[in-house]
Amino acid sequence: MPDRSRLWPLSLAAATAVTALGAGVAPLRQALHAREGGLRPSEFPGGPENIWVGQVPGVEAVELPPGLARFSCRNNRLAEMALGSDGFAEAVAAAVARHGPERVAVVLGTSTAGIEETEQAYRRRDGAGALPASFDYAGSHDLQSLPAYVRARLGLRGPAFAVSTACTSGARSMLEAASLIASGLADAVVAGGVDSLCRLTLHGFASLELLSRGRPTRPCAADRDGISIGEAAGLVLLTRPEHAPPGAPLLLGAGASSDGHHMSSPHPGGLGAVGAMRAALDAAGLTPGEVDYVNLHGTGTRANDAMEDRAVHHLFGDGVPCSSTKGWTGHALGASGAVEAVIAMLCLEDGLVPGCLGVAERDPEFRSAVAIANEARPVRRVASNSFGFGGSNCCLLIGRAA
């Protein structure tokens, strides 16, 4: 691994997000301040009944540019919505003009990729069981479809690959992007994550009895009962600080760990989570007391939230406010870490700690400083957590220059 001085900090020169709240940062910001979530009773065809989801409005109608039709799938349409929001594609074009297309890389996280396209193709099999001739697995379902589409769409020629580490994918992509820049393989990287709703995911979490039933997810609540799945795209453009607009927020450091405790349950004591957070602090050269807000992974399940409370309290005590923002967006799986990095940037800009949404009473056994109402306060540095199936853990530290 390259040394810390070559890795950090990096500038978040541009950022965008598409969530159930709408396309772009503006509706996300407005909803955070107004405390209005984007979760709704599910109408996703073929999905489980009596659940709420974070479904992006208008994604079905998105058309990909001419010449890129082979990439058509729900996931890449979400990516296209993000590329067209917040001037993100234009910011990448400026990076290309500065560095050249071969020096701009793409590292994107996803877990679903184009599975929904395969589900539809499977239902259109002919009498012999063959999939439709129009179905293009490599262009849609394959994990590499997402970075390949974004690379082609933006006219890039640098390295491009997918990260699929379950729910840490969107955050872990930024750690991999930092390594590309530090090693001299790229001068700028489009990083983040995109994940879309599909029947496999919805029924899979239902079979594990992890979905909240009849109402939205309520992370950290005394009566929490599970996850609400969402879909989203979160993209950032990572560069050296000298190549970013003045005052751009910084990725100060990141840390990752893999505890491998259980395929679908975190270590109850949060050992892997603590390791990832401590590694991020060390990478940034910070102490826990220099962090102003912790954006929790906070899925709304009994076990995950309890583990994270123990881990956060172990490092930060009860003096640093923390909360989960999945009550607004749902759990966007491989995109969640990227979307929450964008939320962290909003918290820096607006001086906002967004309290957990829909929580009447926080879990009385929690010892960390869980916020359940919005707080206006100076926020200079945010630790953003992502944890995933199989024991994958990642923490990003996002802030301003000292």
Side-chain angles (χ1 to χ4, degrees), residues 305-393:
D305 290 7
M307 172 281 293
E308 191 169 11
D309 172 71
R310 297 183 193 105
V312 169
H313 186 267
H314 178 82
L315 277 180
F316 296 99
D318 60 2
V320 178
C322 58
S323 68
S324 168
T325 50
K326 288 182 172 64
W328 276 272
T329 63
H331 186 0
L333 307 178
S336 61
V339 169
E340 286 155 22
V342 176
I343 290 174
M345 296 166 66
L346 294 178
C347 293
L348 293 172
E349 293 174 11
D350 296 0
L352 173 68
V353 171
C356 297
L357 192 63
V359 177
E361 178 189 359
R362 65 175 64 84
D363 190 320
E365 296 186 2
F366 283 11
R367 296 193 294 164
S368 56
V370 176
I372 60 173
N374 284 7
E375 300 177 20
R377 59 189 294 164
V379 178
R380 299 164 300 158
R381 301 180 186 94
V382 177
S384 186
N385 286 338
S386 297
F387 309 130
F389 279 1
S392 179
N393 309 289

Side-chain angles (χ1 to χ4, degrees), residues 73-88:
C73 66
R74 188 179 188 89
N75 215 51
N76 290 337
R77 288 194 290 272
L78 275 174
E80 177 61 28
M81 291 178 75
L83 293 174
S85 300
D86 300 311
F88 189 82

Side-chain angles (χ1 to χ4, degrees), residues 125-138:
R125 289 169 298 160
D126 64 19
L131 295 172
S134 60
F135 174 64
D136 186 333
Y137 175 88

Side-chain angles (χ1 to χ4, degrees), residues 6 11 15 18 77 80 129 168 172 209 214 289 341 349 357 369 377 391:
R6 287 182 57 81
S11 280
V18 173
R77 288 194 290 272
E80 177 61 28
T168 61
R172 182 63 193 242
E209 299 182 345
E349 293 174 11
L357 192 63
R377 59 189 294 164

